[in-house]
Amino acid sequence: MRDQHVHSPYCPHGSTDTLEAYVHNAKKHNLREISFTEHAPLPQGFIDPTPLKDSAMSWSDLPQYLKGVQLIKEKYKRDIKVNVGLEIDYIEGFEHETRAFLDEYGLLLDDSILSVHFIKKENNYYCIDYSEDNFHTIIQQYGNIRFVYDKYFDTLKKSILSDLGPYKPTRIGHITLVEKFKKKYPAPFELSSYSNTILDLIVQKKYSLDYNGAGIVKPLCGETYPPLSIATEAAKRKIPLIYGSDAHSAKDLMQGYEFINFNLLIEN
């Protein structure tokens, strides 16, 4: 029983629940391990394309976040294993900056996730999971939904293959995040045409997958990231599947867990 994708009060699009509130709720769920994986500050020079510029923790908050989780880790070490972690964005064109960040901070981390939230078209970036209206705008910019999926999974592929140094995260986050709004913008093709290639690359790199429950509570998704069919294919390939709630408030811990296929969870 562990939840290894958890955010914190340092997330500007999350809640103000304290780190201790998360840990107390984790203990109520009888968790033996929890990973705080706050959105790492976006690379210097990258302009957050979201309207509120609230995609990630600020650079000024990073030292306090790392210190705060370390203190919580020590305080509750007899009750629960607390990991100091980050969710790192892979942003096409900012690989050098991301590697430099990991070279500086990677040694301080117990756990980390590599995720794609942003896709690039020409000189513009778009956040794929910001809102359904924003997703509609992205479809218009790319011409049709297939081109959006093409770009998302191509960026995901680049994230897996990227050289981000010795501290590169080896767990890939919510690989089907592009489907967050699928009930309103359904894709007229099989997702496996993309996902099988991604899974094969993950096998080659000996990486693991974030088996993310947050999609269950998203009204226009209603499935885990990835869905059961892809999680099953991952398990067939012996890819470790690591459950994460992607909680942005203390009450969100373990969200979607009842829809996780326990038989597929593979421990590291």
Side-chain angles (χ1 to χ4, degrees):
M1 291 286 286
R2 54 180 176 165
D3 188 339
Q4 290 192 248
H5 189 155
V6 178
H7 291 276
S8 76
Y10 294 91
C11 179
H13 59 267
S15 75
T16 57
D17 292 346
T18 65
L19 294 171
E20 285 202 271
Y22 282 91
V23 172
H24 288 162
N25 205 29
K27 290 170 65 179
K28 288 179 182 178
H29 283 289
N30 295 315
L31 293 179
R32 60 179 174 85
E33 185 174 352
I34 180 175
S35 291
F36 285 103
T37 52
E38 192 49 78
H39 294 285
L42 297 174
Q44 302 284 6
F46 178 76
I47 299 175
D48 187 347
T50 65
L52 298 179
K53 305 288 188 287
D54 63 349
S55 294
M57 174 171 43
S58 68
W59 280 91
S60 60
D61 280 342
L62 179 61
Q64 187 177 353
Y65 165 76
L66 294 172
K67 181 180 179 180
V69 180
Q70 186 63 44
L71 289 172
I72 290 289
K73 173 183 177 178
E74 182 63 25
K75 181 176 180 178
Y76 291 97
K77 65 182 180 181
R78 290 182 175 85
D79 303 318
I80 184 172
K81 183 181 179 183
V82 176
N83 296 315
V84 181
L86 288 169
E87 182 176 11
I88 307 294
D89 268 291
Y90 172 80
I91 302 175
E92 184 180 356
F94 284 84
E95 293 85 355
H96 176 76
E97 292 85 350
T98 302
R99 176 168 180 157
F101 175 87
L102 288 167
D103 285 346
E104 182 173 357
Y105 292 99
L107 192 62
L108 303 177
L109 305 179
D110 304 314
D111 199 5
S112 58
I113 301 170
L114 186 66
S115 297
V116 171
H117 296 93
F118 304 101
I119 57 175
K120 182 181 182 183
K121 186 175 190 295
E122 297 170 349
N123 293 320
N124 297 312
Y125 291 89
Y126 302 91
C127 181
I128 62 159
D129 67 323
Y130 184 77
S131 70
E132 57 188 279
D133 290 339
N134 188 65
F135 193 76
H136 177 65
T137 298
I138 294 172
I139 295 172
Q140 290 179 317
Q141 290 295 321
Y142 277 86
N144 63 54
I145 195 165
R146 178 174 285 279
F147 291 151
V148 176
Y149 275 63
D150 286 348
K151 185 60 182 182
Y152 172 76
F153 282 101
D154 180 65
T155 307
L156 192 61
K157 178 180 177 180
K158 288 179 179 178
S159 77
I160 296 166
L161 296 175
S162 62
D163 179 8
L164 299 180
Y167 298 109
K168 177 184 178 180
T170 59
R171 183 158 83 256
I172 307 301
H174 41 55
I175 65 168
T176 55
L177 186 63
V178 71
E179 297 235 292
K180 183 176 179 179
F181 309 109
K182 69 176 187 174
K183 290 183 180 179
K184 186 167 183 178
Y185 304 107
F189 42 80
E190 289 293 326
L191 196 59
S192 60
S193 62
Y194 295 98
S195 61
N196 285 339
T197 299
I198 297 299
L199 296 180
D200 289 342
L201 287 175
I202 290 173
V203 169
Q204 291 173 25
K205 302 293 281 187
K206 298 182 180 179
Y207 288 173
S208 62
L209 270 183
D210 174 38
Y211 196 4
N212 191 303
I216 289 291
V217 301
K218 305 303 180 186
L220 295 180
C221 182
E223 287 188 316
T224 54
Y225 307 127
L228 178 58
S229 59
I230 296 175
T232 301
E233 286 299 320
K236 288 178 181 178
R237 291 165 168 78
K238 306 301 182 185
I239 296 172
L241 292 159
I242 311 300
Y243 168 74
S245 65
D246 211 341
H248 283 71
S249 67
K251 66 178 177 58
D252 292 341
L253 284 173
M254 302 301 286
Q255 66 183 351
Y257 193 67
E258 65 271 28
F259 294 93
I260 295 291
N261 187 319
F262 301 105
N263 294 325
L264 299 183
L265 288 177
I266 303 173
E267 298 284 338
N268 278 329

